[in-house]
Amino acid sequence: MDHSWISPVFWIWFWIWIWTGFSSAEEEVLMNTKLETSDLRWTIYPSSDPEWEEMSGLDEEGNSVRTFQICPMDTSVSHWLRTRFIPLRGATQVYVEIRFTVMECSAMPSSFRSCKETFNLLYYQSDEDTASSTHPAWMENPYSKVDTVAADFLLRRGGEKKSNVKTVRVGPLSKKGFYLAFQAQGACMALLSVRVFFKKCPSVTRSFSSFPETLPHSLVQQAEGVCVPNSAPTDQAPPTMFCGEDGQWVGPPSSSCVCKPGFEPLDSDRCRACGSGQYKVSIGGSLCRVCPDNSNTHSPGSSVCVCRPGFHRAASDLPDSPCTRPPSAPRSIISQINDTVVTLEWSEPLDRGGRSDLSYSVECVRCRGSSCVPCTDSVTYRPGQVGVVGRRVIIRGLLPHTTYTFSVIAQNGVSAVSHTSPASSSVNITTSRDVAVPVSGIRRTKASESSVSISWTIPSQTQHSILDYQLRYSLMDQDDGWQYVSSKSSSVVLSDLSRASQYQVQVRARTSAGYGHFSPAASISTLPDDEEPPSRLLLTGVLVAIGLLILIAVGIVAVFCFRRSSRRRDPDPDKSSQFLMGQGMKVYIDPFTYEDPNELVREFAKEIDVSFVKIEEVIGAGEFGEVCRGRLRVPGKKENYVAIKTLKAGYTDKQRRDFLSEASIMGQFQHPNIIHLEGVITASCPVMILTEYMENGALDSFLRLNDGQFTPIQLVGMLRGIASGMKYLSEMSYVHRDLAARNILVNSNLVCKVSDFGLSRFLTENSSDPTYTSSLGGKIPIRWTAPEAIAFRKFTSASDVWSYGIVMWEVMSFGERPYWDMSNQDVINAIEQDYRLPPPPECPASLHQLMLDCWQKERSSRPRFCAIVSALDRLIRNPASLKITGRISDGTSHPLLDQRPPPSLSHCSSVSDWLRIIKMERYEDNFLQAGFTSIQLVSHISTEDLLRIGVTLAGHQKKILSSVQMLRVLPY
Ligand code: AMP
């Protein structure tokens, strides 16, 4: 066969082969002649006279390719060309892309009969490669025809040289492979390339679901996906998506997956673990968040942040709420006792633990000596004993004259889950002894030989109504033979008595608070057989009177002997009363009336073994040496904090005596508002005085530190304590002489105790005045001292009352200096001219009136300490009275005005200067560290800023903000 004319045409077309996009991610190629480099080994029919001719050439990229061409002379015969077996690899429909050229029939020589410009494409399916040159038969059945393929562009000489590309779909196919067949029936053509491929949906990740590569077996093929790592399905069913016949995924997945807790979405297809210090609580598309306060994570991918040690979450707290801790102890418990009713009030804990669900509970124990038992159910609490939201509880049903310890416990939502014991503050209270007023006026109204009728006066009882009376009687001087009788009325008839006998009778009343005390014994007698003649009665009376006189004389002689034996020196006759136990009242003994004051130290101060004491830190400077805090552990007793005053080395004998005299004075006092002496150490060096430790130190500095922090009722509670201590001292005939806030110590429960008994050593011993005269001269604390004490050195309890008035003023002004910066002389002159300190800001008028009473010029007009205590008790019972502020003019004194110019802010150039002027220098570091480094910046500060930088006390905030207001109007 002569093909010489064709060759140039085909070769030309060969090189103008246009190669377009051939493969894509969605296509899998089953056969591609372009990639074959050796013979294609396709089968040609008829084999006897093969017209299809395999040829090699180079495509435009220079690759060697195999092609077939045909240009049969005999067009009456079908010329078949069949590919090799094409395995389907699971595909059920394939695409055949044919690149070919066809000669235009009109361009063919006329010898070409029945010239055609089309060819047929057929296929034959088979599970195995079984075809041969004779099988299957070369005809349309068993082959299946796909299409008759016509060329869009025909070749003609001198015409445009363009190849055709046709893609036809073959299928559905059901066997493992197939053969393609090209049937030319008169076409003069060339097959430049044949590519067989199928389309598939590639593996894809959508909406956090991964779908595998999927072959579309039908129009749309459903594929099942899985959630990407660290995600989970939102539905029970796994996600599905459709794979279209064109290899394209159709639509979004049926259900989606979302990131698990601890993981956040990244690139919309991946879930990334939350970093350390971050968490994500819920499943879903939200992002990781920074751990809430006081919590952290131990590893990446955390769904919850774990609380730092000491912090917790309550069961009801959400996982994204901050961790919190139990509150600190309630502060400053104030107690009021009214017979057997106790009212407790306290201040909020400094630290609420970061929660708002703060509540309190009250625990009550009854103590006798060192053994305590929980209070019984008869004790009631209002509004309740536990879960109290307010800061006040009234406790009723207590036994009279009994010591209780009340603990106020602060709790919040995490107290239950915290393993630490809840913080509490305690207060010891002894209920009133005088539950019922003692009965008096016991008298005989009728008598016979064996019976007497007795009646008594009904006590004027204000607190409780009297339920009944109990009467006891016994024969005179037979105290162990008491008989008891009860009566609802104020009279009783005693029968079965002995004739002409003297009985002692006592009566006591019972109220809802319990029994009061028995009255003093009254002597009641029964009648003899006959009334005795008056002369005999008179004789008996005379004899009794003589007996009594003898008794009194013996008593006086005994007291005289006692005084002589206890005083080694010649005593001042006017001070002798100090040694007497007058009517049961103990009286203070002045150590300097003892020849050897050490004797008094031995009598009143316990010697403590130095090995029981551990000194911890220096807390102050005393007149004789350092004051330290330490611990005292006496074997068999609870360890206690103590304050330790030391006597510095190199002391003289006199200094040692003076130093220890304070202990011998203090040791004589036993009162809750007087500093308690633990003991002394004199057997070793240094000599020490140990007293109870007062956590809040001196009252003046404590108040300045807590400026504005206490309510008037709390301040009155403190003043009441001081007055009560002073009442005790005055009853012991002790004159303090240096009563001032600096000499009052405050403990953690805000209990104030009088201290500093050092001044008394300056008392003159040879004064004939029963009150004392000072030899202190210029050392008198002028601002605190009554005018008569300054002028005539007349120190009495009444001059202590004056000083107490000054202490009241110090307390109500939170530690302001009395008379500000006036000179001592100006103070003396002002007082002389009846000027008196005005009420401190927001001071209740009733308290200022009490101050003015204490500052009466005439000392006998000043109230006594017992009256001051009662007045303060009345105010505490009626807190509404404390709401009235302002000055009440009593007509006898004039208000002294603070004549200091207001602090000039315009001169302060720095924040430090300004803070010093407004006495808030303690916050200097807070301001500077928070960036408030200039006055200009400070002038814009707000309450929130103050809170943030750590100024949490309301009084201090008020002070700073009001000064800031002034700064704003100054020209900076
Ligand atoms: P004094 O020598 O008593 O004036 O004490 C000097 C300072 O030591 C006082 O201002 C207090 O700050 C401190 N101080 C004295 N006694 C005690 C105490 N019992 N508890 C706590 N601090 C005390």
Side-chain angles (χ1 to χ4, degrees):
M1 192 168 54
D2 180 11
H3 290 142
S4 55
W5 66 271
I6 296 171
S7 299
V9 176
F10 277 95
W11 283 119
I12 289 163
W13 285 111
F14 226 85
W15 302 122
I16 60 168
W17 198 358
I18 297 165
W19 205 261
T20 55
F22 188 69
S23 66
S24 75
E26 299 91 344
E27 292 176 1
E28 184 163 332
V29 177
L30 296 174
M31 187 196 84
N32 187 354
T33 57
K34 272 194 71 180
L35 304 178
E36 304 278 343
T37 48
S38 58
D39 282 359
L40 293 174
R41 288 183 287 122
W42 288 6
T43 309
I44 299 170
Y45 175 83
S47 53
S48 53
D49 183 14
E51 290 281 356
W52 284 102
E53 198 177 352
E54 186 173 349
M55 302 182 74
S56 285
L58 294 174
D59 66 10
E60 56 196 5
E61 288 156 350
N63 298 318
S64 169
V65 290
R66 307 289 294 168
T67 63
F68 279 95
Q69 64 181 26
I70 186 168
C71 205
M73 296 305 289
D74 182 0
T75 54
S76 61
V77 183
S78 286
H79 295 280
W80 291 71
L81 176 64
R82 190 183 68 208
T83 64
R84 279 184 286 147
F85 184 67
I86 305 170
L88 276 167
R89 297 188 216 155
T92 52
Q93 66 181 354
V94 298
Y95 295 85
V96 180
E97 182 193 77
I98 308 162
R99 191 175 286 268
F100 64 98
T101 52
V102 179
M103 284 297 286
E104 194 179 43
C105 282
S106 58
M108 299 297 288
S110 55
S111 56
F112 265 73
R113 279 170 288 123
S114 312
C115 171
K116 283 205 176 113
E117 290 168 350
T118 60
F119 64 92
N120 289 331
L121 179 69
L122 303 99
Y123 69 95
Y124 174 75
Q125 295 196 68
S126 170
D127 282 325
E128 283 171 26
D129 183 10
T130 51
S132 64
S133 57
T134 54
H135 173 80
W138 298 96
M139 53 182 67
E140 210 174 301
N141 187 7
Y143 284 90
S144 307
K145 184 172 170 181
V146 181
D147 206 356
T148 298
V149 182
D152 295 331
F153 306 102
L154 295 170
L155 295 180
R156 75 171 70 92
R157 282 178 201 282
E160 199 185 356
K161 299 171 175 90
K162 229 176 170 183
S163 64
N164 299 283
V165 179
K166 292 262 163 158
T167 304
V168 288
R169 201 172 72 191
V170 178
L173 301 168
S174 55
K175 301 214 168 165
K176 288 189 176 154
F178 73 113
Y179 304 88
L180 269 182
F182 302 88
Q183 186 190 34
Q185 284 178 315
C188 180
M189 60 178 286
L191 280 176
L192 302 179
S193 73
V194 178
R195 188 167 74 94
V196 179
F197 61 91
F198 62 87
K199 292 187 180 178
K200 61 182 180 182
C201 295
S203 60
V204 74
T205 300
R206 280 203 196 146
S207 304
F208 306 100
S209 312
S210 291
F211 294 91
E213 184 181 87
T214 303
L215 302 187
H217 295 304
S218 56
L219 208 56
V220 278
Q221 173 75 43
Q222 192 179 46
E224 196 172 287
V226 290
C227 292
V228 298
N230 305 316
S231 71
T234 50
D235 260 0
Q236 293 272 315
T240 55
M241 195 158 60
F242 290 106
C243 172
E245 142 191 73
D246 55 355
Q248 300 287 334
W249 289 104
V250 181
S254 58
S255 61
S256 52
C257 298
V258 282
C259 292
K260 287 182 179 168
F263 295 86
E264 66 181 356
L266 175 73
D267 305 341
S268 75
D269 282 333
R270 279 184 292 161
C271 292
R272 170 174 69 176
C274 296
S276 54
Q278 296 188 323
Y279 74 110
K280 198 189 109 189
V281 177
S282 54
I283 185 167
S286 59
L287 296 178
C288 298
R289 290 161 65 179
V290 174
C291 283
D293 285 352
N294 306 316
S295 66
N296 205 350
T297 56
H298 294 318
S299 55
S302 298
S303 59
V304 68
C305 296
V306 187
C307 291
R308 288 184 203 283
F311 290 86
H312 313 273
R313 281 198 190 93
S316 57
D317 285 352
L318 296 173
D320 45 10
S321 52
C323 294
T324 50
R325 59 180 166 189
S328 59
R331 290 175 305 137
S332 318
I333 305 183
I334 301 252
S335 57
Q336 291 172 45
I337 315 170
N338 199 351
D339 280 354
T340 54
V341 179
V342 168
T343 303
L344 298 180
E345 279 182 275
W346 56 89
S347 300
E348 257 193 17
L350 277 179
D351 177 10
R352 297 175 66 109
R355 305 182 65 88
S356 54
D357 52 357
L358 182 66
S359 68
Y360 304 92
S361 50
V362 177
E363 272 177 14
C364 166
V365 288
R366 188 161 49 88
C367 299
R368 195 162 289 145
S370 58
S371 76
C372 296
V373 290
C375 296
T376 57
D377 291 346
S378 58
V379 177
T380 59
Y381 306 80
R382 219 184 71 208
Q385 190 182 6
V386 292
V388 179
V389 180
R391 284 183 280 120
R392 185 168 195 259
V393 167
I394 300 170
I395 302 152
R396 292 172 199 278
L398 301 170
L399 297 173
H401 192 40
T402 304
T403 301
Y404 290 90
T405 300
F406 295 102
S407 303
V408 182
I409 301 154
Q411 287 154 326
N412 64 17
V414 292
S415 295
V417 288
S418 155
H419 299 302
T420 53
S421 44
S424 67
S425 292
S426 303
V427 65
N428 291 331
I429 283 164
T430 302
T431 47
S432 171
R433 181 191 293 271
D434 301 323
V435 172
V437 176
V439 175
S440 60
I442 302 171
R443 56 195 177 275
R444 189 180 77 173
T445 49
K446 244 184 183 177
S448 71
E449 286 169 30
S450 60
S451 71
V452 283
S453 297
I454 294 172
S455 64
W456 52 87
T457 314
I458 297 174
S460 54
Q461 178 59 253
T462 50
Q463 294 293 326
H464 308 275
S465 57
I466 291 170
L467 302 175
D468 55 22
Y469 298 91
Q470 190 179 51
L471 178 145
R472 68 177 183 180
Y473 64 98
S474 74
L475 276 168
M476 198 56 105
D477 303 328
Q478 289 185 13
D479 282 357
D480 50 353
W482 289 110
Q483 306 275 336
Y484 290 83
V485 178
S486 286
S487 168
K488 292 244 176 248
S489 69
S490 61
S491 63
V492 81
V493 176
L494 303 179
S495 46
D496 293 332
L497 305 178
S498 306
R499 186 183 63 85
S501 301
Q502 276 225 311
Y503 286 87
Q504 49 181 346
V505 176
Q506 291 180 301
V507 180
R508 64 177 177 178
R510 186 169 71 91
T511 68
S512 56
Y515 278 113
H517 298 285
F518 274 115
S519 61
S523 169
I524 304 278
S525 50
T526 48
L527 296 181
D529 285 343
D530 300 311
E531 280 293 347
E532 289 175 79
S535 56
R536 209 170 144 189
L537 205 68
L538 193 68
L539 186 67
T540 315
V542 169
L543 284 176
V544 169
I546 291 171
L548 278 174
L549 279 174
I550 291 170
L551 265 177
I552 291 167
V554 168
I556 290 170
V557 170
V559 168
F560 181 74
C561 293
F562 167 74
R563 278 170 50 194
R564 282 203 58 157
S565 66
S566 52
R567 291 178 69 188
R568 308 286 148 89
R569 273 190 322 178
D570 183 24
D572 174 350
D574 290 316
K575 286 197 178 166
S576 61
S577 63
Q578 292 173 353
F579 295 85
L580 282 174
M581 307 291 272
Q583 296 179 338
M585 177 57 72
K586 217 171 131 197
V587 181
Y588 151 76
I589 301 170
D590 177 3
F592 292 92
T593 57
Y594 264 51
E595 204 167 333
D596 175 10
N598 285 330
E599 203 180 303
L600 203 61
V601 176
R602 279 194 294 279
E603 200 171 321
F604 287 115
K606 204 166 27 177
E607 178 71 25
I608 290 175
D609 190 320
V610 71
S611 66
F612 300 163
V613 182
K614 203 162 100 198
I615 296 182
E616 287 186 339
E617 65 169 324
V618 176
I619 53 170
E623 199 182 334
F624 293 93
E626 287 171 337
V627 183
C628 307
R629 189 194 63 186
R631 288 167 198 254
L632 172 64
R633 177 171 229 140
V634 177
K637 287 200 179 158
K638 208 175 114 227
E639 186 179 64
N640 268 340
Y641 277 115
V642 283
I644 304 162
K645 285 189 173 186
T646 55
L647 174 61
K648 57 179 170 261
Y651 51 82
T652 62
D653 264 4
K654 179 171 180 322
Q655 280 172 327
R656 185 178 193 273
R657 238 185 4 252
D658 288 351
F659 175 70
L660 286 174
S661 70
E662 187 175 7
S664 61
I665 295 171
M666 220 187 298
Q668 298 181 50
F669 305 141
Q670 282 300 333
H671 189 273
N673 296 102
I674 306 290
I675 196 80
H676 170 73
L677 177 75
E678 294 285 354
V680 292
I681 298 176
T682 57
S684 60
C685 265
V687 176
M688 298 182 223
I689 298 176
L690 275 58
T691 62
E692 66 180 305
Y693 178 64
M694 301 292 282
E695 293 82 349
N696 284 315
L699 176 61
D700 59 338
S701 50
F702 173 67
L703 288 170
R704 285 195 277 273
L705 203 66
N706 293 286
D707 193 354
Q709 284 314 292
F710 299 119
T711 58
I713 192 102
Q714 284 178 308
L715 297 175
V716 174
M718 294 183 206
L719 288 174
R720 199 253 180 221
I722 303 167
S724 171
M726 288 308 297
K727 173 178 173 241
Y728 173 84
L729 291 181
S730 65
E731 283 167 356
M732 293 248 327
S733 304
Y734 178 82
V735 178
H736 191 287
R737 299 172 168 232
D738 194 12
L739 179 59
R742 65 179 169 275
N743 289 328
I744 304 292
L745 293 169
V746 189
N747 74 7
S748 58
N749 285 330
L750 233 58
V751 176
C752 292
K753 305 199 181 194
V754 180
S755 83
D756 209 328
F757 300 98
L759 258 184
S760 55
R761 66 182 175 277
F762 294 108
L763 297 181
T764 308
E765 296 169 38
N766 55 8
S767 164
S768 59
D769 194 326
T771 53
Y772 309 111
T773 307
S774 169
S775 64
L776 198 58
K779 276 196 168 179
I780 292 171
I782 297 291
R783 281 150 216 279
W784 283 264
T785 308
E788 75 277 6
I790 298 172
F792 323 113
R793 296 164 187 188
K794 192 103 175 155
F795 284 94
T796 58
S797 288
S799 63
D800 276 352
V801 166
W802 179 289
S803 310
Y804 178 80
I806 303 289
V807 172
M808 285 183 78
W809 192 88
E810 289 184 275
V811 168
M812 297 315 293
S813 61
F814 286 96
E816 180 60 273
R817 180 170 162 76
Y819 309 99
W820 311 284
D821 46 11
M822 283 167 67
S823 72
N824 280 351
Q825 195 51 54
D826 285 350
V827 172
I828 293 171
N829 295 345
I831 295 301
E832 182 53 36
Q833 290 165 41
D834 289 332
Y835 282 100
R836 296 293 183 268
L837 283 166
E842 292 166 41
C843 173
S846 47
L847 287 178
H848 186 239
Q849 185 55 58
L850 195 51
M851 294 178 205
L852 293 174
D853 292 346
C854 295
W855 301 329
Q856 289 281 344
K857 190 174 244 166
E858 183 55 51
R859 71 174 188 278
S860 58
S861 308
R862 294 172 204 155
R864 290 173 189 280
F865 279 113
C866 56
I868 295 176
V869 172
S870 309
L872 293 174
D873 280 345
R874 274 196 301 279
L875 292 178
I876 292 171
R877 272 200 294 275
N878 179 18
S881 62
L882 297 172
K883 297 234 163 72
I884 306 157
T885 55
R887 189 185 143 81
I888 301 167
S889 171
D890 64 352
T892 59
S893 64
H894 322 293
L896 189 65
L897 296 178
D898 180 1
Q899 286 166 5
R900 289 174 304 175
S904 169
L905 296 178
S906 55
H907 289 115
C908 53
S909 55
S910 67
V911 175
S912 320
D913 275 357
W914 167 66
L915 286 171
R916 210 182 44 256
I917 286 175
I918 63 168
K919 292 192 180 160
M920 290 282 114
E921 58 267 47
R922 78 196 70 177
Y923 295 117
E924 184 174 338
D925 284 350
N926 306 46
F927 272 77
L928 298 181
Q929 274 165 23
F932 289 101
T933 48
S934 71
I935 292 288
Q936 222 153 9
L937 288 170
V938 163
S939 65
H940 295 107
I941 206 160
S942 65
T943 313
E944 289 72 38
D945 293 329
L946 289 180
L947 278 173
R948 191 164 45 76
I949 71 174
V951 184
T952 50
L953 302 179
H956 293 182
Q957 290 173 1
K958 210 162 134 190
K959 203 165 192 173
I960 292 171
L961 288 174
S962 66
S963 175
V964 163
Q965 293 272 348
M966 291 176 70
L967 287 178
R968 285 191 190 136
V969 295
L970 288 173
Y972 280 104

